[in-house]
Structure formats: structure tokens, C-alpha cells
Amino acid sequence: MSNHTDSPSALNRRSVLRRTAAVGLLATPAAGLLSACVGGGTDEPTTQATGQVSAENPLGVSTETPVEVVIFDGGLGTKYATDVHIPSYQAKFPKSKVTYSSTQEVSTTLQPRFASNTPPDMVNNAGSKLMDQGKLVEAGQVADLSDLFAAPSLDIAGKTVGETLIPGTIEQGTFNGKPYVLNYAYTVFGLWYSGKLFKDNGWTAPTTWADFTALLDKMKAKGITPYSYAGANAAYYQYLVILTTAAKIGGPDVLKAIDNLEKGAWTNDAVKQAATLWGEIGAKYGNKAHLGLKHTEVQLQQNQYKVGFYPSGSWLENEQSKDTPAGFDYQVAAIPGATASDKLPATGLYAAAGEMYFVASKGKNVQGGKEYLRHMLSKAGAKGFTELTKSLTVVTGAAEGLTLSPGLTSANAALTAAGAANFSFRWDAWYKNLDDECRAATNKLMFQGGTADEFCTRMQAAADKTEKKFSR
């Protein structure tokens, strides 16, 4: 454990992101037909509560109207909502009840409510069964958050909410020039491992592909599954890894071309090389039995020292807190460099604002939903989130003074080492059909003898069939 003031600080994160802030999305034509599966439209009137706008109530919240929030019960848990954000809202509006529920299957639970125009006010859209965020925006089911970001911060004097955020945060949730989604958790992705396992065996995190495979051989010789992920519901962890390697080989524009549905983006040589390398890892070092396992089942095996490397985001440490043995010492390594001519350094990382929260435009208390987000984005709300989830937020400086866990300390150090080599993609949130296709294509590549050519051709065909809605 280390004190945050001694570890790479939030200032470092800000510096990194200031250099690499996501470019705002370019405007594209307005949405067309509404999606039947998410309901929507502007023809169904909804009575929505509003109150008097004042310095104390800048969003004009109705002080006595309930607000309903739904939180995804996944790697971050829900205590940050029940113990921090809801009490914060209730303290400011004691006559307004916060109606709370959680779910592990967001689309199953909420899609019928959006289809009937009776949605909750604020939704945490996450997990393997999240709703299609792009279609929700298209269908007019998501409220514009411009007034939230322009409102004064709840507890950071002299700044608007938007001015308190890490650069690039608002853009990450922007569709067609308007901010519709708050990506609240600042997440670092990489290869997670046990510091104890490595220390006991004298291993160090590899930086080159040759060192990586040499270490995997050593793990295999000890009877450890060197590398694995869960095929049943977490294939997106692995496609992120493949595309991270592609970005290192060819530069971050490889990902931008994929986001923009450019011709040949998926059949780019960098993507083919990355898919080839990872297909070989799956064939030689993976465990085919993990195709049918869920993420927590493979993660438990890692906690039992049966799996060496596991690809995931910085929520992992919190998600496994109940199963992690004492001294396990979660650590994260950047994905090793692939070739001697990579355009990005081996320390390059996929890191970005993530974990989507949005306000339903058809909710009964839209301004209440936005006010709830304002409480999440307060310094106290963000600090409480980090304390309970071991994850950073997009609120600048909110983690200063906190004692960070081993995994979060490691993630922060990796982020600092990455410097400007920090990148992300957005296509998975924009086009749910491509996300679904890529999960299947990834499992085929990693578990079922698929080839890199098949992977790239399949994804390019899916992208070519996708109607372009967004760009950056």
C-alpha cells in the first residue's frame, strides 16, 4: 500500500490526459428511425418534475419529487451508491426519496421499461448485458447533459462541473456533438497478475513479445494456465487486448479508423498481426475449458494461483476482494510490445473514462437524475467512490490524500509510465452489433482454432454492413 501523495498522482493522470484528450465527435446526420427495442420518439408526452432554479438548485430540481436510479451490480459493487451518492442527494433534498435498485442484467431488466417509455431517471449502463447505448441515443431516450456540465460543482468552489473533470471525459460520452453519457470511472486496462506469484518465482513483467512467451513457457512448466479469459461473458476483455496490440503496432489511428467504420480498418496489417500473435497465445497457452466459464470463475482460478495473466480493467481488484487471499498483491502490466517496429512504446496503455451513466429523457424526474450525477461528480462523491471501489474517477484530484490499494497503485504507476501513449476506442459503445460480433469472433480465434484472416474478414464484413451513425 502506498500513500497517494507518494504515488503517481492525479496530477500525472491529468497531464497524461491533457496531452491525449479524446477528440470531440464530429457532427453526423440526425438519427433516423426509432428502434423498436428501445422505444422512444418524441410523440409520447411525459410529465416531468421541475423546480425553481436558484444558486442552491442550479438544475431546477423538484425538491419533493422522488428520483429513481438503477445501478449495475458488477465489479464495482453498489455500496458507492447506497453509502455515498444516495445519502448525499438525500441530505440536500430530504423531502425527495431516492428509489434505488440494482441488477446484473441491465438490458433484460430495463429494456422493457424503455420500450414502454416508463424508464428510471438515472441508469448505470454496464456489464455484459448492457443496453445498446447508441440506439438509445438515436431513439431520443437519453437526456442531453449540457446543463449538468455547465452547472456549478457541488463542492468545488468557483468551477462548473465540467471544469472539474479530467480533459476528454465529456467528449468520451458525446454523440453527434452533444454530451449524453457520463463515463465516470477512469479505468486502466492491462494484464493482471499476482505480485506474490511473481516474487516467489523470481519473475518480472515482460515488455517484449519474446520475453512474454518465455515467461508463459515457465508458467506452463509449473502447471499454471499461463494466460486466460472467460469466453462465456468476457470476450470483450480479450478483443480489447487484441486491439491494444494493433494500436501499438500501427499507432492509435488504427483504432480511430475502426471507430469511423473506414474501409479496410479491420483488415489493416496491424490488426492482422495482432490477431495472429494472440491467436497463437490462445492455442498454446490458453485453457479451452474456459470458453464456457464466466469471468468470476476464471478470476477465482487466478486467485488460487492457477492462472498467470488475466486481461481486465482496474475494477478487478475490487471485484475479487472477497476471494483474494492475503498477500496476493494484485499488479498490472502493460501489454508487451509486439514487434521491433511498433509505433507505440511497450508501456502504452488502453486507459479511458468508462462505466456509462445516463439520464433517461422520458423519466419522471429528468432534472433529479442530472442532480444525482452532480452529486456523483462532487469531490466528496468521487472520493467516496474511490475508497469503496478501489477505482479512480474522472473528477480531478478527488483521490488526493487517499491510501491506494496495491492494484490501484500499480495501475497508477503504469499510467504514469505510459505517458502520452494512452489511447482508447469507442465503436463498442456506438455499435452494439459489432460488439456482439467481435465477442464471437474473438472466442473463435482464441478457443476454437480460428485464424487471424478469419477474424479480420469477419469483423470487416460486419463493419461494412453497419450504418455509420457516429464519427470522431
Side-chain angles (χ1 to χ4, degrees), residues 14 148-149 151-167 169-170 374 376-379 382 393-398:
R14 291 198 300 274
L148 164 67
F149 294 126
S153 165
L154 194 66
D155 60 1
I156 302 176
K159 290 190 175 182
T160 67
V161 171
E163 289 170 343
T164 67
L165 306 181
I166 292 171
T169 297
I170 295 174
R374 195 165 78 102
M376 288 178 64
L377 291 169
S378 67
K379 191 167 186 177
T393 73
V394 295
V395 179
T396 303

Side-chain angles (χ1 to χ4, degrees), residues 189-190 235-245 312 335 350 425:
F189 293 85
Y236 61 105
Y237 294 3
Q238 180 58 35
Y239 76 53
L240 186 147
V241 165
I242 295 170
L243 293 182
T244 294
T245 296
S312 189
I335 292 164
Y350 186 108
F425 52 70

Side-chain angles (χ1 to χ4, degrees), residues 75 188-194 197-198 206 212 215-216 219 224-238 240-241 278 281 285-287 290-291 293-317 319-320 328 330-336 446-447:
V188 173
F189 293 85
L191 303 183
W192 292 80
Y193 62 94
S194 163
L197 180 68
F198 274 49
F212 181 44
L215 179 54
L216 297 183
M219 291 177 175
I224 298 170
T225 297
Y227 180 90
S228 196
Y229 72 97
N233 68 345
Y236 61 105
Y237 294 3
Q238 180 58 35
L240 186 147
V241 165
W278 282 107
I281 296 297
Y285 302 107
N287 184 337
H290 292 178
L291 173 61
L293 297 187
K294 294 183 178 179
H295 65 301
T296 49
E297 294 173 315
V298 177
Q299 290 164 192
L300 178 61
Q301 290 195 24
Q302 188 182 38
N303 290 151
Q304 296 167 341
Y305 302 103
K306 297 176 181 177
V307 171
F309 284 115
Y310 180 78
S312 189
S314 44
W315 64 78
L316 176 64
E317 186 178 33
E319 188 168 51
Q320 291 303 107
F328 184 82
Y330 264 117
Q331 299 289 302
V332 63
I335 292 164
M446 297 294 293
F447 288 116

Side-chain angles (χ1 to χ4, degrees), residues 159-220:
K159 290 190 175 182
T160 67
V161 171
E163 289 170 343
T164 67
L165 306 181
I166 292 171
T169 297
I170 295 174
E171 289 80 0
Q172 191 76 11
T174 297
F175 295 70
N176 295 336
K178 288 186 179 179
Y180 286 104
V181 176
L182 166 64
N183 289 283
Y184 185 60
Y186 191 75
T187 306
V188 173
F189 293 85
L191 303 183
W192 292 80
Y193 62 94
S194 163
K196 178 183 185 315
L197 180 68
F198 274 49
K199 183 179 180 181
D200 288 350
N201 288 281
W203 297 337
T204 57
T207 58
T208 68
W209 205 261
D211 288 345
F212 181 44
T213 55
L215 179 54
L216 297 183
D217 284 332
K218 293 177 182 177
M219 291 177 175
K220 191 173 183 178

Side-chain angles (χ1 to χ4, degrees), residues 49 62 64-68 89 95-99 121 364-365:
S62 173
E64 299 185 8
T65 301
V67 59
E68 182 183 1
Y89 188 97
K95 294 181 179 179
S96 172
K97 180 181 179 182
V98 178
T99 303
D121 299 305
K364 293 180 179 178
N365 191 355

Side-chain angles (χ1 to χ4, degrees), residues 352-434:
E355 194 76 9
M356 297 187 288
Y357 297 78
F358 73 91
V359 175
S361 63
K362 301 290 183 181
K364 293 180 179 178
N365 191 355
V366 172
Q367 294 310 100
K370 293 179 183 178
E371 176 70 15
Y372 185 87
L373 295 182
R374 195 165 78 102
H375 284 252
M376 288 178 64
L377 291 169
S378 67
K379 191 167 186 177
K383 182 177 181 181
F385 178 89
T386 297
E387 287 178 316
L388 290 173
T389 66
K390 301 181 179 66
S391 297
L392 299 171
T393 73
V394 295
V395 179
T396 303
E400 290 174 356
L402 293 178
T403 299
L404 303 183
S405 62
L408 188 52
T409 299
S410 175
N412 223 2
L415 188 59
T416 300
N422 175 302
F423 48 85
S424 63
F425 52 70
R426 304 179 192 172
W427 60 272
D428 57 332
W430 292 351
Y431 306 109
K432 186 67 171 60
N433 63 308
L434 289 183

